[in-house]
Amino acid sequence: FNPANVSLGNNIVSYTVTSGACTSSESISIEVVPAPVIAIDAVSNVCIDGAVVALNASPIGGDFSGNAGVSGTIFNPSIAGTGNHTITYTFDDKLGCVVSEDIQVTVENKPTVVIDEVGQICQSSDAVNLSANLSPGTFSGSAAISGSSFDPKVVSPGMHTINYLYN
């Protein structure tokens, strides 16, 4: 009996044996129920130091599993480590149907950003161009920053912190 080759609902299976002039048969009814359809919410690429990700799937009541970083309905990228990870959701409908579905999650390494040194400059100097090893990105940190330049004429003498957010 192969459930893939029969209709949903009740199916009658008969078995007949003939021995000489005698014939005996038996029939049973087998109910074939539809397998549950699983839907797992996709997970975008995450950074190794990113927040934990809530895993969602339907129908509810199944179990998530994976090689690392999966605990209950949470995926923790720092535990999983960088690379591609398969997360499996398995659902048992308690009627004999156990189905599972996989999604792929990529954990990316945190990039190392380095702002090129400007050094000491005179307050009366012209604006200097700022640059970093990775782009695109955004400089911020003081009123003296406009785009990718720092104008010392706009600020008081002293140390000024420049931030760079790599996009």
Side-chain angles (χ1 to χ4, degrees):
F1 181 78
N2 184 346
N5 296 331
V6 295
S7 303
L8 294 176
N10 285 326
N11 291 269
I12 305 297
V13 177
S14 298
Y15 184 70
T16 303
V17 175
T18 302
S19 176
C22 296
T23 301
S24 180
S25 65
E26 176 76 24
S27 296
I28 61 172
S29 176
I30 298 175
E31 182 181 5
V32 178
V33 296
V37 176
I38 291 179
I40 305 174
D41 291 353
V43 175
S44 300
N45 291 3
V46 293
C47 186
I48 187 78
D49 68 347
V52 296
V53 177
L55 301 171
N56 296 299
S58 65
I60 60 171
D63 297 308
F64 287 98
S65 61
N67 56 342
V70 177
S71 178
T73 58
I74 300 295
F75 175 71
N76 188 328
S78 65
I79 292 173
T82 59
N84 296 320
H85 300 277
T86 301
I87 297 175
T88 302
Y89 183 72
T90 303
F91 181 79
D92 182 347
D93 71 357
K94 310 299 186 224
L95 298 173
C97 293
V98 178
V99 292
S100 63
E101 189 75 31
D102 296 337
I103 58 170
Q104 298 295 316
V105 178
T106 300
V107 178
E108 298 174 349
N109 220 355
K110 185 175 181 176
T112 301
V113 175
V114 178
I115 300 173
D116 296 332
E117 286 291 324
V118 173
Q120 192 174 42
I121 56 175
C122 181
Q123 185 180 20
S124 63
S125 296
D126 290 335
V128 293
N129 286 325
L130 302 171
S131 60
N133 65 322
L134 299 173
S135 66
T138 305
F139 288 98
S140 65
S142 105
I145 296 174
S146 176
S148 62
S149 65
F150 178 84
D151 187 353
K153 295 175 188 167
V154 178
V155 292
S156 303
M159 294 294 291
H160 296 276
T161 301
I162 296 173
N163 299 307
Y164 183 74
L165 178 61
Y166 171 59
N167 300 331

